[in-house]
Amino acid sequence: ILIPWMGGVGAAIVTTCATCLAAVASFLAVYKLWGILPPARTLVKSVFCSGLALAIAVFWPVSGLMVILKLVVIVVTIFVAFLLLGDFTAGEVALIRTIVRKRAWSKEDEIEAQ
């Protein structure tokens, strides 16, 4: 109903509403199956990081291949925000460091082999 009437904005509204409903359904399913709720601090941090992502998406209009750069910037911003907010455990940070180091070393090995 909204897409023919509002075009791209209608499609965005429908997609956003469907995604929000799916998130709520997932949240309720986890609670029903396992009886656990996410901590309130995590919810607040998630809303904050989502707001940052929305701000970047809205206030940085791009087209063409620049969309890829924009998406990378949004993902990195979310990751850094969660990192700075202390949402990752020490073990998770160590795992990320290990993965990054392994990839960096494998790239150096490829370069030396050539």
Side-chain angles (χ1 to χ4, degrees), residues 67-103:
V67 172
I68 296 170
L69 175 63
K70 180 179 179 175
L71 292 174
V72 169
V73 168
I74 290 172
V75 169
V76 169
T77 300
I78 292 170
F79 175 76
V80 169
F82 274 120
L83 185 65
L84 293 175
L85 290 170
D87 208 49
F88 296 115
T89 64
E92 291 168 335
V93 172
L95 176 64
I96 292 166
R97 286 181 180 156
T98 302
I99 291 170
V100 169
R101 285 183 187 143
K102 282 184 181 179
R103 290 188 183 232

Side-chain angles (χ1 to χ4, degrees), residues 24-81:
V24 169
S26 299
F27 178 80
L28 293 174
V30 167
Y31 179 71
K32 183 173 173 109
L33 288 173
W34 292 298
I36 57 174
L37 295 170
R41 288 179 60 187
T42 299
L43 289 175
V44 171
K45 290 175 187 180
S46 296
V47 168
F48 174 76
C49 291
S50 297
L52 282 176
L54 176 66
I56 294 170
V58 169
F59 294 114
W60 185 18
V62 297
S63 61
L65 291 177
M66 287 296 291
V67 172
I68 296 170
L69 175 63
K70 180 179 179 175
L71 292 174
V72 169
V73 168
I74 290 172
V75 169
V76 169
T77 300
I78 292 170
F79 175 76
V80 169

